[in-house]
């Protein structure tokens, strides 16, 4: 089975690579009459016809190779269409009509010529005997029962799939959209983090936008214009302020570094005095404290090293900013 297509009045199965060369089976159903009241327990749809189509079997002659077999259930007929030979325009066909009371188990089917009609595309083809035609019709009646069972089984499979699908949909837990901020807690947290990040960026931008010469201009009264001496004074003041701040920060880091070293030395001296009488737990605690102290020393050392590297880089940036600042050049217009 390759695929299955079902509508209200049709059910079609498509097949590939079958040994019997069956390509597809199509069942046509009769519409159910609308009824008022409780629904019937029997939900099967009445079948009007079932059509089976077969691919070419090259081991048989075209006149013996069935192309289409129509089980006209409502009309009590079997219509067989054979493959068309390349030498003929039309294919051969054969129609069987079920006799009256054919489904009565106590009834014995009697053959007569009215039960079948044959069209031979070529008169030279061998005609089937009455005996062969009789057994052919009996075989078709048996096949029809099996084909109806297959159609009903296909219906049941489809109903089962639909039922399981409905159960899955009813039992499924719907995910709340990330855009539904009223019900999605993760979305609320995410939006809060985004807002915090935006506020932080705004604060940094405000700090960045502050005029770096503002405190030095305020010291000389915020003049509209300055002279060359004042321009040089502003330049020197900005450079000195940067150096002082860098040195203060470096001194703080150095003092913290030296304090950590002294504390580590004190711990080591204490350990040397009390090593003999220490328990295993005390030794482990001492080792843990030493490891933490060494970690802090490493971090402080790296920060101090990084500060010195950045201080040189930032000082060069300040020099470039001072050189490019139009206020420190003629005509020395501040505002």
């Amino acid at each position: 089975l390759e695929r299955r297509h079902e509508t209200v009045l049709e059910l079609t199965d498509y097949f590939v690579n079958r040994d019997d060369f069956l390509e597809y089976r199509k069942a046509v159903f009769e519409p159910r009459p609308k009824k008022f009241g409780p629904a019937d327990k029997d939900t099967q749809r009445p079948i009007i016809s079932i059509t089976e189509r077969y691919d070419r079997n090259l081991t048989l002659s075209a006149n013996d190779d069935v192309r289409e077999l129509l089980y006209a259930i409502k009309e009590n007929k079997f219509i067989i269409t054979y493959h068309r030979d390349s030498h003929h325009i039309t294919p051969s066909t054969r129609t069987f009509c079920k006799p009256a009371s054919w489904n009565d188990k106590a009834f014995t089917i009697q053959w007569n010529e009215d039960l079948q009609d044959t069209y031979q595309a070529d008169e030279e083809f061998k005609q089937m005997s009455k005996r062969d035609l009789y057994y052919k019709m009996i075989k078709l009646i048996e096949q029809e029962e099996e084909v109806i069972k297959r159609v009903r089984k296909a219906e049941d499979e489809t109903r089962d799939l639909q039922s399981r699908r409905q159960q899955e949909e009813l039992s499924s837990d719907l995910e709340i959209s990330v855009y539904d901020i009223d019900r999605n807690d993760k979305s609320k947290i995410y939006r809060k983090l985004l807002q915090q990040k935006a506020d932080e960026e705004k604060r940094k931008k405000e700090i960045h936008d502050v005029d770096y010469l503002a405190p030095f201009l305020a010291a000389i009264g915020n003049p509209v214009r300055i002279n060359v001496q004042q321009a040089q004074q502003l330049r020197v003041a900005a450079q000195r302020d940067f150096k002082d701040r860098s040195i203060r920060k470096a001194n703080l880091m150095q003092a913290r570094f030296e304090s950590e070293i002294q504390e580590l030395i004190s711990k080591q001296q204490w350990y040397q005095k009390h090593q003999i009488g220490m328990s295993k737990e005390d030794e482990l605690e001492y080792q843990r404290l030493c490891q933490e102290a060494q970690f802090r020393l490493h971090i402080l050392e790296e920060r101090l090293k990084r500060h010195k590297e950045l201080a040189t880089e930032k000082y060069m940036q300040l020099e470039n900013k001072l050189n490019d600042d139009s206020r420190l050049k003629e005509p020395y217009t501040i505002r």
Side-chain angles (χ1 to χ4, degrees):
L1 178 64
E2 180 185 33
R3 57 192 172 95
R4 175 171 292 159
H5 178 71
E6 184 176 11
T7 63
V8 177
L9 299 178
E10 292 183 359
L11 174 64
T12 308
D13 286 344
Y14 296 86
F15 304 95
V16 291
N17 301 325
R18 283 179 61 108
D19 295 336
D20 58 0
F21 298 94
L22 179 63
E23 288 184 331
Y24 92 126
R25 180 185 297 117
K26 178 180 180 180
V28 179
F29 302 96
E30 187 176 353
R32 293 193 188 94
K34 294 184 178 180
K35 296 181 180 180
F36 296 97
D40 295 335
K41 293 183 179 179
D42 185 10
T43 59
Q44 292 183 336
R45 297 168 290 182
I47 301 175
I48 297 176
S49 66
I50 300 174
T51 303
E52 290 185 335
R53 185 167 294 174
Y54 296 83
D55 196 8
R56 183 75 170 90
N57 183 359
L58 298 178
T59 61
L60 301 175
S61 65
N63 195 57
D64 296 326
D65 191 10
V66 176
R67 172 55 177 164
E68 184 177 279
L69 174 54
L70 172 62
Y71 300 92
I73 297 172
K74 193 172 183 180
E75 298 178 8
N76 288 327
K77 288 184 179 181
F78 304 105
I79 302 174
I80 304 174
T81 303
Y82 295 91
H83 281 274
R84 183 179 62 83
D85 191 278
S86 59
H87 302 293
H88 298 87
I89 298 175
T90 58
S92 299
T93 61
R94 181 170 282 115
T95 302
F96 290 91
C97 297
K98 297 178 187 176
S101 304
W102 64 271
N103 55 350
D104 187 353
K105 300 298 182 182
F107 176 74
T108 302
I109 298 176
Q110 300 295 327
W111 178 258
N112 63 74
E113 292 296 333
D114 295 334
L115 296 180
Q116 73 91 27
D117 180 63
T118 301
Y119 165 74
Q120 292 280 21
D122 192 333
E123 295 181 356
E124 295 181 359
F125 289 144
K126 183 180 178 180
Q127 299 290 333
M128 292 181 66
S129 65
K130 294 181 180 180
R131 179 176 178 274
D132 291 338
L133 290 171
Y134 171 78
Y135 284 113
K136 180 69 174 178
M137 185 177 66
I138 297 298
K139 183 179 179 181
L140 288 172
I141 292 174
E142 295 174 352
Q143 284 182 198
E144 184 182 69
E145 294 179 0
E146 292 298 321
V147 171
I148 291 175
K149 290 180 181 178
R150 294 190 183 101
V151 171
R152 295 307 185 192
K153 182 180 179 181
E155 281 188 292
D156 293 339
E157 290 174 351
T158 304
R159 299 292 90 76
D160 181 59
L161 286 173
Q162 291 176 341
S163 176
R164 283 190 288 173
R165 178 68 180 272
Q166 290 175 353
Q167 291 176 0
E168 289 176 359
E169 291 178 351
L170 291 174
S171 61
S172 61
D173 295 329
L174 299 179
E175 294 184 358
I176 300 175
S177 172
V178 295
Y179 302 104
D180 189 350
I181 59 175
D182 293 330
R183 294 186 298 170
N184 195 315
D185 294 335
K186 291 183 179 180
S187 178
K188 290 181 181 179
I189 296 173
Y190 180 68
R191 287 178 62 86
K192 185 177 180 180
L193 291 175
L194 287 180
Q195 185 61 42
Q196 291 176 352
K197 186 176 180 180
D199 294 341
E200 182 67 18
E201 292 294 332
K202 183 179 179 181
R203 186 182 65 82
K204 290 181 179 180
K205 187 175 184 301
E206 290 174 351
I207 294 174
H208 183 267
D209 292 341
V210 173
D211 185 6
Y212 73 105
L213 288 180
F216 311 115
L217 288 170
I220 60 174
N222 288 319
V224 177
R225 295 176 62 87
I226 60 174
N227 54 37
V228 63
Q229 290 81 12
Q230 289 174 319
Q232 183 63 25
Q233 180 183 348
L234 291 171
R235 176 186 291 272
V236 172
Q239 292 171 338
R240 185 186 301 113
D241 178 73
F242 177 83
K243 291 178 181 178
D244 291 343
R245 285 187 289 107
S246 297
I247 292 172
R248 284 197 302 272
K249 189 173 182 180
N251 289 338
L252 288 173
M253 292 182 182
Q254 185 66 36
R256 178 70 183 279
F257 182 79
E258 293 175 356
S259 175
E260 288 287 345
I261 290 179
Q262 290 299 324
E263 187 176 349
L264 179 60
I265 292 174
S266 298
K267 286 186 176 66
Q268 291 173 342
Q269 291 175 348
W270 179 87
Y271 175 75
Q272 294 295 331
K273 291 181 181 180
H274 303 84
Q275 181 179 6
I276 298 176
M278 290 179 65
S279 63
K280 186 67 175 179
E281 289 77 9
D282 292 336
E283 288 187 3
L284 292 174
E285 179 65 16
Y286 166 75
Q287 293 175 3
R288 185 185 66 81
L289 293 174
C290 288
Q291 290 176 354
E292 291 179 356
Q294 290 173 354
F295 176 75
R296 289 194 296 271
L297 286 171
H298 175 72
I299 295 298
L300 289 170
E301 186 178 10
E302 290 295 323
R303 289 179 62 186
L304 183 58
K305 180 181 177 181
R306 180 63 176 165
H307 171 70
K308 292 178 180 179
E309 294 174 353
L310 290 177
T312 303
E313 182 179 342
K314 290 181 178 179
Y315 184 79
M316 295 302 299
Q317 293 175 357
L318 176 62
E319 283 289 326
N320 293 332
K321 187 181 291 187
L322 291 170
N323 293 332
D324 295 338
D325 197 329
S326 60
R327 295 172 296 179
L328 302 180
K329 301 176 183 179
E330 292 184 2
Y332 304 110
T333 302
I334 301 300
R335 289 177 288 174

